[in-house]
Amino acid sequence: MKSKKNILYSQKVAPYVFVIPFILSFVFFWIYPLVSAVSMSFFDIGAISKEFVGLANYTKLLKDRVFLIAIKNSATYMLGTLILLIPFPMIFAVLLDSNLVKAKGVWKAILYMPALTSVVISGTLFRLMFTEYPTGQMNQLTQMLGLGTFKWLKMGWSGMAALLIVACWRWMGVNMLYFLSGLKSIDTSLYEAADIDGATSIQKFRYVTLPLLKPTTIYVLTISIYAGLSMFLESYMLWAGNNSPNNIGLTIVGYLYKRGIEKNDMGYACAVGVVLLVIALIINIAQLIMNGTFKDGED
């Protein structure tokens, strides 16, 4: 009995005891689903049947016009979020970290609060805001400007704009907090040295803040690429379902849901998921190589 107790309290065994829960959750909730999805993508899976079809699902994807539309929509959304949700949160973080802004805690709470709101609720509210009826807030605004009313969620450009507005409203504060944490790790003596050298605020931002924020920027860029490609619920709630006009709001995950859940074609849906994973990995690995992350890790 004493030997068992000594093993449990051993400094060599204790680290493995703490790591086991993570390893088990990683295996059961990531490795196992990934292996299952890859294997299922080579089958034609029906309600009561399962037939091996090899690469037929992937060959079919290359000719699937709706899937190509979904890729285009997801890529456009991802690029839009990268353009909007990296530089602006960084600027807001720099402003909040400076002495120009008062009541910093209040602004942090206001900007972060949308992230705590349910996507179902926020999507419903934005759907009412962008409704085609004259009572919608966006149409009320355009009528005040003398532009008339628009069918916001039935046009490609305005539908994508609505998705990006939802993304900015929801995630601007989260990314800002990431950059704020990165700014806190920068030694203030570097700014003092820059002041002594007569550097302007823009020069300090360019030559001190930006280079030292690189690890945070790469992290935000990486998670933003994945989040942009895997977006689904915002689109589903904005159009009150997975059937937007002319598929203007259909994403890759939305198409996966359509084929796997709505049409019960799990083999084809798994192929869509595998392609999504490969696309996300290729883009993220490419940007990590371009940013020198792998090289820095080797050094």
Side-chain angles (χ1 to χ4, degrees):
M1 188 72 179
K2 187 176 180 180
S3 61
K4 292 183 178 179
K5 186 175 181 181
N6 291 335
I7 292 175
L8 291 176
Y9 285 91
S10 170
Q11 292 184 355
K12 294 182 179 180
V13 176
Y16 296 99
V17 174
F18 286 107
V19 170
I20 284 175
F22 167 76
I23 294 176
L24 291 177
S25 61
F26 182 75
V27 170
F28 284 108
F29 296 107
W30 202 89
I31 297 296
Y32 175 71
L34 175 61
V35 174
S36 298
V38 173
S39 62
M40 289 170 64
S41 68
F42 297 106
F43 288 85
D44 181 10
I45 303 174
I48 57 175
S49 62
K50 182 178 180 181
E51 180 184 355
F52 181 78
V53 293
L55 297 175
N57 287 328
Y58 294 98
T59 304
K60 185 178 176 181
L61 274 178
L62 297 176
K63 303 176 182 179
D64 193 332
R65 184 184 63 85
V66 179
F67 177 64
L68 297 178
I69 292 174
I71 289 181
K72 179 184 175 181
N73 292 339
S74 292
T76 303
Y77 177 83
M78 180 198 69
L79 290 174
T81 55
L82 295 182
I83 293 171
L84 296 172
L85 289 176
I86 292 181
F88 289 105
M90 182 188 296
I91 293 172
F92 292 156
V94 171
L95 290 174
L96 279 177
D97 195 52
S98 67
N99 297 323
L100 299 174
V101 178
K102 305 299 181 182
K104 298 180 181 180
V106 175
W107 286 109
K108 290 178 185 178
I110 291 174
L111 290 170
Y112 185 76
M113 197 173 297
L116 304 177
T117 308
S118 168
V119 182
V120 175
I121 296 174
S122 59
T124 303
L125 292 175
F126 275 95
R127 183 171 71 248
L128 296 174
M129 183 185 301
F130 284 95
T131 182
E132 63 185 82
Y133 299 110
T135 53
Q137 285 84 350
M138 291 302 296
N139 274 335
Q140 288 182 7
L141 178 61
T142 54
Q143 288 179 86
M144 289 174 57
L145 298 174
L147 300 175
T149 60
F150 296 90
K151 296 182 179 180
W152 299 97
L153 298 180
K154 292 185 177 180
M155 299 182 293
W157 68 270
S158 57
M160 184 58 64
L163 282 173
L164 292 174
I165 290 173
V166 174
C168 290
W169 176 82
R170 185 170 175 79
W171 300 114
M172 188 73 70
V174 176
N175 287 358
M176 181 197 69
L177 291 180
Y178 286 139
F179 285 113
L180 268 174
S181 64
L183 288 172
K184 296 300 181 183
S185 65
I186 299 177
D187 192 349
T188 55
S189 64
L190 297 174
Y191 292 106
E192 294 172 359
D195 288 330
I196 294 174
D197 291 337
T200 64
S201 298
I202 296 177
Q203 288 174 329
K204 286 189 289 186
F205 177 76
R206 179 179 178 183
Y207 296 107
V208 178
T209 304
L210 277 181
L212 295 179
L213 271 182
K214 182 180 177 181
T216 305
T217 305
I218 293 175
Y219 172 75
V220 174
L221 176 61
T222 303
I223 63 174
S224 297
I225 289 173
Y226 171 76
L229 291 174
S230 62
M231 186 274 292
F232 166 63
L233 191 54
E234 289 86 346
S235 174
Y236 189 91
M237 293 309 304
L238 200 59
W239 276 277
N242 204 26
N243 297 304
S244 55
N246 297 320
N247 295 314
I248 60 175
L250 182 66
T251 64
I252 300 176
V253 178
Y255 191 58
L256 186 155
Y257 179 88
K258 181 187 291 289
R259 296 304 300 250
I261 305 300
E262 296 178 359
K263 297 186 177 182
N264 196 29
D265 189 357
M266 290 302 299
Y268 196 72
C270 287
V272 174
V274 172
V275 171
L276 171 60
L277 175 63
V278 171
I279 292 174
L281 285 175
I282 290 174
I283 294 175
N284 266 320
I285 291 174
Q287 67 90 7
L288 290 173
I289 293 174
M290 292 174 63
N291 286 317
T293 302
F294 286 157
K295 184 177 179 180
D296 293 341
E298 293 174 358
D299 294 341

